[in-house]
Amino acid sequence: MNALLEVENLSKQFGGLRAVQALSFEVREGTILGLIGPNGAGKTTVFNLLNGVFAPDEGQVRFRGADITGLAPFRVARHGLARTNQIVQPFANMTVLENCVVGACFGRENLPLARAREAAREAVTLVGLEDRLDALASQLTIAGKKRLELARALAARPTLLLLDEVLAGLNPVEIERMIGIIRTIRDSGISILMIEHLMQAIMSLSDRIVVLNSGAKLAEGLPAEVAADPMVIGAYLGDPGFVDKLRES
Amino acid sequence: MILRRPFFWIIAAIVAAFAIAPAIGDNIELRESLVLAAVYITLASNINMILGYAGYVNFGSIVFFGLGGYFSVWLMSAHAWPLAAALVAGGVAVSALALVFGLGILRLRGVYFALSTIGVNEGVMAFVANFGPWGGSTGIYLSPALFQPLGGPAKALWVIYYLLVGIMGLSLVLSYAVKRSKFGLGLLAIGQNEDAAALLGVPTPRYKAIVYSLSAFLPAIAGGLYFFKSAYIQPPDAFDLQLSTETIVVAMLGGQGTVAGPALGAFLYEELRGWLLTSPTFSHFQLVVAGVLLLAIVLFAPGGLMGLLYRLWPRLRSFLE
Ligand SMILES: Nc1ncnc2c1ncn2[C@@H]1O[C@H](COP(=O)(O)OP(=O)(O)OP(=O)(O)O)[C@@H](O)[C@H]1O
Ligand SMILES: [Mg+2]
């Protein structure tokens, strides 16, 4: 299995705050890599560095062999790296379909409008929003908006999908459903890097897990290895719920 | 194809109405009122592409109209260019300049961008007012002899009118074609949420610069026609911020982001303005009206007239754009 995404020695500082420190990891083709860590650990910042929202102070990002470090977000998208936002960012006055057409038009395949509409429809169907195709994005529930984020990213037919807490704010039924969708996506050949706080979900979905704490990598390994790592448990001592959930899974 | 869509034929009908109405009985008074309506519709439709689609408030869009006027008038008077060539050259030159300005100021967002557009207009006006070849603050006066190739002043005014109506029609078609295109979809995405658009791959810097430049082309030609018609051009008339502001009011009144809205708003506003100007109680009252209208739109009807129409008859959406 080849490395699709290679991150090497990535660092980012905000003023005096070292949000990401010398972080290295890789995502292999066809797998799901989970990225976990307490609030403020720097997970979303890592995504922002990969996507080009911020340029890293140090380090390198290689995607399918190409150096994409510090490229503008729209150029990164063209390389086939799509992403959902932790705080949903729908185009509120566009329909569900139009939202996804934007993803399809400007993503990896850079499709013309007519073909983008087909790709968008497929993505909408995959996430189960097909009956809301012509609804304005602003009219969706929070669960609907989360699914729209995912559909829009998928419509780009990416090679690698970055998911930032797509399960947060969903009820257990919706979570179950979303987990199924994520598996389907992975099985369709799209690799995934996902941030998640829900331990059970991330442990069962991920092939490997990277644990981030205060911007630095604390541990990495198979889900079971990470869950048993005393360092990881130690890092979450301030969060007893977290430890319980780790043990559960 | 665009020809098969009903909305294209609505545009064609509007243009035909403009062309035929004043020709019936040689109605010069009506023609003069429609000249202004055509100018307003041209300006409002073009600003709509950046304001309504891409969500960038351009307070200084009149700089395109004024500069286009200067380029064309100067080419005709100092270099004896024929009208058509001078108009096209003016449009191209102003679009190219807009591209340069746009690449600079479109890094700014929100209120900073809006302020910078006023700066561009004021800066260009100050430059022109001190620019010798363009007559400095006295501007350029055209010799009546320049109307001769068009068959004398009376006939020339009709020619200019029909050209302006043509530019108005092109503005509507352009605004429609852009909205229906992939480029337009990218602009609408930028207008809704620029960061999200960029994450999805919309090349935001390029698209913004292109639409800023594109929205300069037809207003520049309209400026050339307008000032050729006046036979003189001076900095305060060419770079009139008041007209710039009215253009925004008009686009928002009709419904920014729609194609028909700015045209509807421009037409109604021009007719209202004409009435206010001729009514002795209200002379020069149109700015107060514009201000009140703008407030009312922003507060009560952000979708403008088109928004209200859509709300009353949702089915309109299927053939009005
Ligand atoms: N643009 C920014 N400017 C300054 N500080 C920032 C910025 N973005 C993030 N930070 C800070 O960097 C740290 C890491 O934030 P980040 O959002 O990456 O955490 P996270 O792991 O995603 O947390 P959460 O689980 O709550 O989403 C936080 O302390 C945050 O306040
Ligand atoms: Mg986060």
Side-chain angles (χ1 to χ4, degrees), chain A residues 44 86 164-165:
Chain A
T44 299
Q86 179 173 2
D164 197 346
E165 299 197 24

Side-chain angles (χ1 to χ4, degrees), chain B residues 152-191:
Chain B
K155 193 143 175 264
L157 290 180
W158 280 104
V159 173
I160 292 167
Y161 174 69
Y162 282 116
L163 287 173
L164 260 178
V165 170
I167 294 299
M168 175 194 83
L170 283 179
S171 298
L172 288 170
V173 170
L174 179 69
S175 159
Y176 180 45
V178 165
K179 190 169 185 190
R180 289 256 139 200
S181 69
K182 176 170 170 172
F183 172 57
L185 182 69
L187 293 180
L188 290 168
I190 292 172

Side-chain angles (χ1 to χ4, degrees), chain A residues 1-247:
Chain A
M1 272 189 293
N2 295 321
L4 185 64
L5 179 80
E6 297 160 273
V7 174
E8 228 177 83
N9 199 29
L10 208 60
S11 297
K12 178 73 188 177
Q13 204 158 330
F14 294 119
L17 177 79
R18 307 175 78 181
V20 177
Q21 305 181 43
L23 180 66
S24 301
F25 64 89
E26 59 181 46
V27 181
R28 302 217 177 125
E29 249 169 60
T31 67
I32 298 182
L33 178 70
L35 185 58
I36 64 171
N39 290 106
K43 305 178 296 294
T44 299
T45 304
V46 170
F47 275 18
N48 284 334
L49 294 174
L50 301 181
N51 265 117
V53 174
F54 305 129
D57 299 332
E58 265 175 72
Q60 213 193 22
V61 183
R62 270 190 308 278
F63 184 59
R64 296 161 78 201
D67 185 356
I68 60 162
T69 318
L71 286 188
F74 72 90
R75 292 191 200 283
V76 175
R78 281 295 155 82
H79 273 87
L81 213 152
R83 142 172 204 190
T84 69
N85 297 291
Q86 179 173 2
I87 298 162
V88 293
Q89 312 264 335
F91 301 125
N93 286 325
M94 287 190 194
T95 64
V96 166
L97 182 67
E98 286 165 346
N99 265 272
C100 296
V101 174
V102 175
C105 258
F106 297 98
R108 182 171 64 85
E109 295 187 319
N110 199 13
L111 295 172
L113 264 183
R115 287 184 46 214
R117 258 185 218 113
E118 283 167 40
R121 263 175 217 280
E122 279 170 30
V124 172
T125 309
L126 186 67
V127 304
L129 274 177
E130 65 273 22
D131 50 337
R132 307 302 313 272
L133 216 52
D134 295 318
L136 290 182
S138 57
Q139 295 166 342
L140 298 177
T141 60
I142 186 67
K145 284 178 183 152
K146 289 255 168 183
R147 278 194 267 165
L148 177 59
E149 277 285 323
L150 183 56
R152 209 167 56 169
L154 269 180
R157 299 193 171 146
T159 318
L160 176 65
L161 191 55
L162 309 186
L163 304 178
D164 197 346
E165 299 197 24
V166 283
L167 302 178
L170 304 188
N171 68 37
V173 179
E174 291 159 351
I175 289 174
E176 217 35 62
R177 192 156 177 200
M178 192 61 111
I179 289 176
I181 295 170
I182 294 171
R183 285 219 168 86
T184 313
I185 295 169
R186 196 263 316 266
D187 293 343
S188 77
I190 297 173
S191 313
I192 295 173
L193 171 57
M194 64 185 292
I195 296 173
E196 202 43 78
H197 278 298
L198 277 179
M199 279 311 126
Q200 230 172 331
I202 195 95
M203 289 291 165
S204 74
L205 276 168
S206 305
D207 296 296
R208 291 178 70 77
I209 287 183
V210 168
V211 187
L212 210 57
N213 191 33
S214 305
K217 183 156 82 179
L218 186 68
E220 175 174 2
L222 301 172
E225 291 169 0
V226 166
D229 190 330
M231 285 250 291
V232 175
I233 297 170
Y236 291 105
L237 278 181
D239 185 355
F242 189 94
V243 175
D244 287 343
K245 280 172 200 156
L246 275 181
R247 291 213 172 103

